[in-house]
Amino acid sequence: MRKSVISLFSLLILASFIAAACKPAATPTPPPAPVVRPTATRVVTPTPKPEWEVKWDNALAEAKKEGKVSIYALWGQDTRVAVSQAFRDKFGIEAEFTSFARGAELLAKVKLEQNAGLNIPDVFGAGGPTF
């Protein structure tokens, strides 16, 4: 009987080894997902432009559509050339000058145009006493 018990015990051990060998391989468990902690987000709201800057941007956009800026001025030739070049370089806009020798002539022309409902010049180039 002792021989039967040993044989049975050996058979059980052998069966255990075979069962263990035939068992499907364990699937590895995926690593835990990283913990994402929310960070403080800074919401930056743009500050509104000052009123003068909004008006300037609108005037510049209109001038670019028109393609030129009309200037009534008392300035000499050198100043007109320099201003014209600066407008072209900075804004891509041509400056169109109407020159006057005296402030009274400029003012008379502007008053006539305004009375007729015309607002031709975009810029006036004159000294304070003219206006």
Side-chain angles (χ1 to χ4, degrees):
M1 166 139 168
R2 184 175 168 127
K3 208 175 185 184
S4 301
V5 172
I6 292 178
S7 294
L8 185 60
F9 185 69
S10 297
L11 193 57
L12 283 173
I13 291 176
L14 183 61
S16 297
F17 284 129
I18 292 173
C22 293
K23 183 178 176 184
T27 56
T29 56
V35 177
V36 178
R37 290 180 170 71
T39 58
T41 57
R42 183 176 170 195
V43 177
V44 179
T45 55
T47 56
K49 289 183 177 182
E51 185 180 348
W52 70 265
E53 194 171 353
V54 172
K55 287 180 179 180
W56 171 253
D57 290 345
N58 291 339
L60 187 58
E62 288 298 316
K64 286 184 177 185
K65 281 184 198 174
E66 192 174 315
K68 66 177 181 159
V69 172
S70 176
I71 303 174
Y72 283 10
L74 301 174
W75 302 329
Q77 179 67 23
D78 292 343
T79 303
R80 290 192 310 266
V81 169
V83 169
S84 183
Q85 185 65 42
F87 259 88
R88 204 173 13 261
D89 292 348
K90 184 157 185 158
F91 305 113
I93 301 170
E94 293 297 319
E96 183 180 85
F97 283 92
T98 302
S99 296
F100 297 89
R102 299 175 41 96
E105 294 170 1
L106 185 151
L107 195 54
K109 182 164 177 66
V110 170
K111 283 183 179 181
L112 282 172
E113 290 173 350
Q114 286 179 341
N115 288 339
L118 301 172
N119 291 308
I120 296 173
D122 299 306
V123 177
F124 294 101
T130 302
F131 297 104

